[in-house]
Amino acid sequence: QVQLVESGGGLVQAGGSLRLSCAASGRTFSRYRMGWFRQAPGKERDFVASISWSDGSTYYADSVKGRFTISKDNAKNTVYLQMSSLKPEDTAVYYCAARREIGNEYDYWGQGTQVTVSS
């Protein structure tokens, strides 16, 4: 059974940093792309960043480019989202997700972790 477990959320002041982790288990993810999404209250879930397990290629939403960095540790089957220069508008529940490299839809989702940025 595939499990994605996020951790690392919390309360931080504007301008601060947080690192989110997503521990993946239950299958081999070598041909998968891992993504981070976020959903603020009353808004749709938005893409934040993604990374390929196989070649490490990354993509970012324009709103986080230059502030967030996605990375992975293959040995630990863990994906990270380093968030810096946080803004109040980054406040949201952050979700980790996985999809096949050749697919378009994310098949697996974590339970989410809350990030709150105070002004």
Side-chain angles (χ1 to χ4, degrees):
Q1 181 179 357
V2 173
Q3 278 196 314
L4 303 177
V5 180
E6 303 99 332
S7 61
L11 174 64
V12 64
Q13 288 189 332
S17 299
L18 277 177
R19 189 178 79 159
L20 305 183
S21 300
C22 172
S25 62
R27 68 162 301 126
T28 301
F29 290 94
S30 57
R31 296 182 181 180
Y32 274 67
R33 175 168 287 273
M34 304 297 292
W36 284 99
F37 292 76
R38 67 186 181 186
Q39 188 168 20
K43 296 188 177 181
E44 294 186 352
R45 186 164 55 193
D46 291 330
F47 170 79
V48 175
S50 69
I51 188 167
S52 167
W53 275 116
S54 58
D55 63 13
S57 59
T58 59
Y59 295 99
Y60 295 93
D62 288 343
S63 59
V64 306
K65 280 181 183 176
R67 300 189 298 122
F68 291 10
T69 302
I70 190 170
S71 62
K72 61 185 177 69
D73 185 330
N74 286 19
K76 295 182 178 180
N77 250 23
T78 299
V79 175
Y80 304 99
L81 185 68
Q82 178 68 47
M83 306 184 294
S84 303
S85 301
L86 283 162
K87 306 174 182 180
E89 51 263 44
D90 294 317
T91 295
V93 177
Y94 283 70
Y95 297 91
C96 176
R99 69 164 174 84
R100 293 174 177 81
E101 286 280 12
I102 61 173
N104 295 316
E105 299 294 326
Y106 280 81
D107 305 303
Y108 305 106
W109 292 85
Q111 82 287 351
T113 186
Q114 176 71 46
V115 172
T116 303
V117 184
S118 63
S119 57

